Amino acid sequence: MRRRPWTLALTAAALTAALAAPPAHAAPPTPPPPAPPSADVARRPAGFDPLVPSTDPVDLRDAHRPLSVTYTFEGRRHTLDDYLARTGTQGFVVLDGDGVVFERYLAAGPDSLFQSWSMAKSFTSAAVGIALGEGFIDSVDDPVTRYVPELEGSGFDGVSLRDLLRMSSGIEWDETSDVPFVHVAASLGYPLTELARQQKRGWEPGTRFEYTSMNSFVLAWVVAEATGVPYHAYVQKKIWEPAGMASKAYLGNDSNGNSMGYCCYYATDRDFARFGLLYLNGGKANGRQVVPASWVTRSTRPSAPFNQGYGLQWWLGEDGDFSANGLGGQLIWVSPRHGVVIVKSTLFTVIAGEETDAAFEAVAAEVARTRTARPAPAH
């Protein structure tokens, strides 16, 4: 899989420094965003919108079996246990189709809510694809101002939804320095809509790739405006419920009714895995077409000649693999070739980035090997 250094966007040191020393036009130094709410929160906490469990959850079968995973990286032999330990992995789930073949937690458990960070962008892509399929959005080549006229005169004026989806909006943006300021501002209740209107044009849209979280917020805003319901409500009705998510989750917002869209789903690893399984199955869950199959295909293929490693808010790998990636090593990794989904959650790690590809490919290959090697049941 092609390495995507900007998906991490920030090292731990850079994030700390950015939060401690925001740009000159920002407010005085502020604390970081609130910690994720616990799963037993009974009422809506400030800064979060709840997603309730599906009435028809997708059943994940117990299919645990021994996996002997070894791989070579930079001339050295490694094991899966070694990889998980060195990357500080707190949650790790491997699906063989709808069967859980491997699951491990450290200082966490199956009910723990993990922060998605930018894995949320792939959920936002799904919401756009569903809204397109339902006719709320006519075309990804429409200008964003058709749905959000408030962006007229901003750097987003005239930018197509396609260029937002493929991270080619042309706005003047530096992910490393701009995201901390935006994130802190949103956590303090400053409207993300206003921050979006303040963005300036920096280069011609559709001419290059520039990873930009503000693009994903604007897409979530488009979904809300096009459908006439808040983004989190649309996600609840069109993704969380029909895709069979089994646990309560939360979406971060700016306390002004605007879901962030670029980050901040707090969910269990099994529900993140169900989202990966949804895409592995061509957008279907429990026999229902949740995300249009054409959108699953379209969003997980190269979206521009200038970046063959990025689709529409999904990262692309070798042999058809694709993934939702988040800051600090969060991953929903899907391998159609092997029929495998892998979810990895951690508080923060910046090591073993390139090695992750080798480790995950070895896990997927071992799952496929042991699937065919299992003896037939006795009669």
Side-chain angles (χ1 to χ4, degrees):
M1 187 178 292
R2 298 175 182 85
R3 184 48 32 204
R4 303 142 309 258
W6 45 82
T7 62
L8 301 183
L10 307 163
T11 64
L15 179 58
T16 301
L19 290 174
H25 61 278
T30 55
S38 62
D40 61 354
V41 172
R43 59 186 179 85
R44 173 178 169 176
F48 300 95
D49 290 303
L51 298 175
V52 301
S54 172
T55 57
D56 185 21
V58 167
D59 181 44
L60 297 181
R61 299 177 296 105
D62 182 358
H64 286 77
R65 58 181 181 266
L67 298 178
S68 178
V69 178
T70 60
Y71 60 93
T72 301
F73 180 72
E74 293 184 342
R76 297 186 62 183
R77 199 77 169 162
H78 300 282
T79 67
L80 177 59
D81 286 344
D82 174 51
Y83 170 81
L84 296 178
R86 284 187 298 104
T87 57
T89 301
Q90 293 174 292
F92 197 74
V93 177
V94 181
L95 299 186
D96 179 4
D98 64 356
V100 180
V101 297
F102 185 94
E103 186 170 26
R104 181 178 294 176
Y105 297 96
L106 177 65
D111 296 328
S112 297
L113 302 184
F114 291 101
Q115 156 71 291
S116 69
W117 293 111
S118 286
M119 294 194 308
K121 293 176 170 68
S122 299
F123 284 87
T124 297
S125 174
V128 170
I130 295 168
L132 181 70
E134 292 188 324
F136 291 113
I137 295 171
D138 286 337
S139 170
V140 294
D141 292 314
D142 287 342
V144 65
T145 48
R146 176 173 176 179
Y147 303 96
V148 187
E150 293 90 336
L151 289 174
E152 291 177 1
S154 76
F156 287 106
D157 199 346
V159 176
S160 69
L161 301 184
R162 182 188 302 276
D163 283 336
L164 293 174
L165 286 159
R166 64 183 181 174
M167 295 297 184
S168 187
S169 65
I171 68 167
E172 193 174 276
W173 183 268
D174 180 84
E175 185 76 1
T176 301
S177 61
D178 288 337
V179 164
F181 167 65
V182 167
H183 200 64
V184 169
S187 74
L188 295 175
Y190 192 82
L192 282 170
T193 50
E194 181 58 33
L195 290 173
R197 284 194 289 264
Q198 293 172 9
Q199 301 307 309
K200 305 298 183 184
R201 178 67 55 80
W203 42 279
E204 183 63 26
T207 60
R208 74 171 198 243
F209 177 88
E210 186 69 47
Y211 189 78
T212 302
S213 285
M214 186 59 75
N215 292 344
S216 303
F217 165 72
V218 171
L219 287 168
W221 191 4
V222 166
V223 169
E225 293 296 319
T227 64
V229 298
Y231 170 86
H232 74 274
Y234 194 71
V235 168
Q236 173 70 59
K237 183 177 181 180
K238 299 298 181 177
I239 298 177
W240 216 255
E241 168 64 32
M245 305 309 186
S247 300
K248 191 170 187 177
Y250 294 87
L251 269 64
N253 64 56
D254 66 357
S255 300
N256 289 276
N258 304 301
S259 295
M260 292 179 174
Y262 66 88
C263 82
C264 305
Y265 277 67
Y266 296 91
T268 66
D269 270 356
R270 283 197 169 208
D271 278 342
F272 284 137
R274 287 180 173 93
F275 185 65
L277 182 62
L278 176 70
Y279 268 67
L280 179 66
N281 290 336
K284 284 187 175 182
N286 282 338
R288 297 181 293 260
Q289 193 71 48
V290 179
V291 181
S294 59
W295 185 257
V296 172
T297 299
R298 188 177 186 180
S299 58
T300 58
R301 297 291 185 272
S303 57
F306 46 76
N307 189 354
Q308 295 292 300
Y310 198 74
L312 303 178
Q313 308 278 292
W314 285 90
W315 294 95
L316 312 181
E318 306 295 339
D319 300 313
D321 300 338
F322 54 90
S323 63
N325 292 16
L327 173 70
Q330 325 306 319
L331 280 166
I332 303 171
W333 187 86
V334 182
S335 174
R337 177 170 53 111
H338 292 301
V340 169
V341 174
I342 302 175
V343 171
K344 174 181 177 290
S345 293
T346 183
L347 179 61
F348 200 94
T349 182
V350 294
I351 64 172
E354 290 284 352
E355 186 178 339
T356 291
D357 297 339
F360 280 27
E361 287 160 7
V363 171
E366 175 67 0
V367 170
R369 185 191 70 80
T370 55
R371 179 196 305 140
T372 57
R374 282 179 292 171
H379 294 287

